[in-house]
């Protein structure tokens, strides 16, 4: 595998810490980001020398805090569109950080985002090869790397 769990942990810590001043703890919890508030997922596909995707799944509460940090306001003041944009950008930054670790050349797609209480965000022909969990003061985030099956 081209990407290690430690690299995903480092990338996530750097992005969320430097951009948003949010500092995750790595967790082995298999929670996919579900909460009473709902959840949100974002995915960026990677094509070229390596085929797959990077997917983020988060509680909506954590995504709302992240969006608020992006726009410089309070979480209750951000719109759902701002939350979706923030998660798409975080998925894009995560995939962009993974891209140099993969066989070249590779291109990134635009992010896809899904949210709600019950949704499925799939990557056609994708097999999860890495799935890392994080906890932000009780709010879950999972980052998965999927590789296209031949």
């Amino acid at each position: 595998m081209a990407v290690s769990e430690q690299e995903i942990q480092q990338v996530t810590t750097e992005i969320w810490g430097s951009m948003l001043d949010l500092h995750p703890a790595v967790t082995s919890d298999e929670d996919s980001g579900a909460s009473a508030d709902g959840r949100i997922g974002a995915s960026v596909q990677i094509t070229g020398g390596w085929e797959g995707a990077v997917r983020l799944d988060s509680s909506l509460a954590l995504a709302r805090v992240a969006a608020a940090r992006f726009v410089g306001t309070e979480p209750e003041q951000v719109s759902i569109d701002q939350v979706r944009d923030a998660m798409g950008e975080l998925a894009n930054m995560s995939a962009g950080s993974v891209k140099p670790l993969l066989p070249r050349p590779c291109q990134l797609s635009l992010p896809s985002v899904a949210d709600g209480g019950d949704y499925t965000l799939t990557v056609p022909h994708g097999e999860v090869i890495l799935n890392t969990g994080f906890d932000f003061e009780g709010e879950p985030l999972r980052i998965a790397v999927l590789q296209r099956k031949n």
Side-chain angles (χ1 to χ4, degrees), residues 89-132:
E89 184 56 32
L90 287 164
N92 194 49
M93 286 189 282
S94 297
S97 294
V98 167
K99 180 181 165 185
L101 306 172
L102 302 171
R104 296 178 188 185
C106 283
Q107 297 81 38
L108 303 180
S109 73
L110 293 173
S112 299
V113 180
D115 61 87
D118 184 27
Y119 71 88
T120 302
L121 180 61
T122 62
V123 176
H125 308 288
E127 176 181 16
V128 176
I129 59 171
L130 188 65
N131 194 354
T132 304

Side-chain angles (χ1 to χ4, degrees), residues 57-75:
D57 292 290
S58 168
S59 70
L60 190 54
L62 175 58
R64 190 170 290 285
V65 169
R69 299 275 174 101
F70 264 121
V71 297
T73 190
E74 295 300 316

Side-chain angles (χ1 to χ4, degrees), residues 5-59:
E5 188 165 7
Q6 292 77 20
E7 289 167 322
I8 294 297
Q9 292 168 358
Q10 180 180 357
V11 162
T12 303
T13 300
E14 288 172 4
I15 291 170
W16 289 72
S18 66
M19 295 290 299
L20 305 172
D21 197 28
L22 293 170
H23 306 283
V26 177
T27 180
S28 59
D29 185 5
E30 290 297 320
D31 186 347
S32 64
S35 75
D37 215 17
R39 59 190 188 112
I40 186 164
S43 177
V44 171
Q45 295 201 22
I46 302 170
T47 58
W50 186 87
E51 303 275 327
V54 174
R55 187 182 73 210
L56 280 63
D57 292 290
S58 168
S59 70

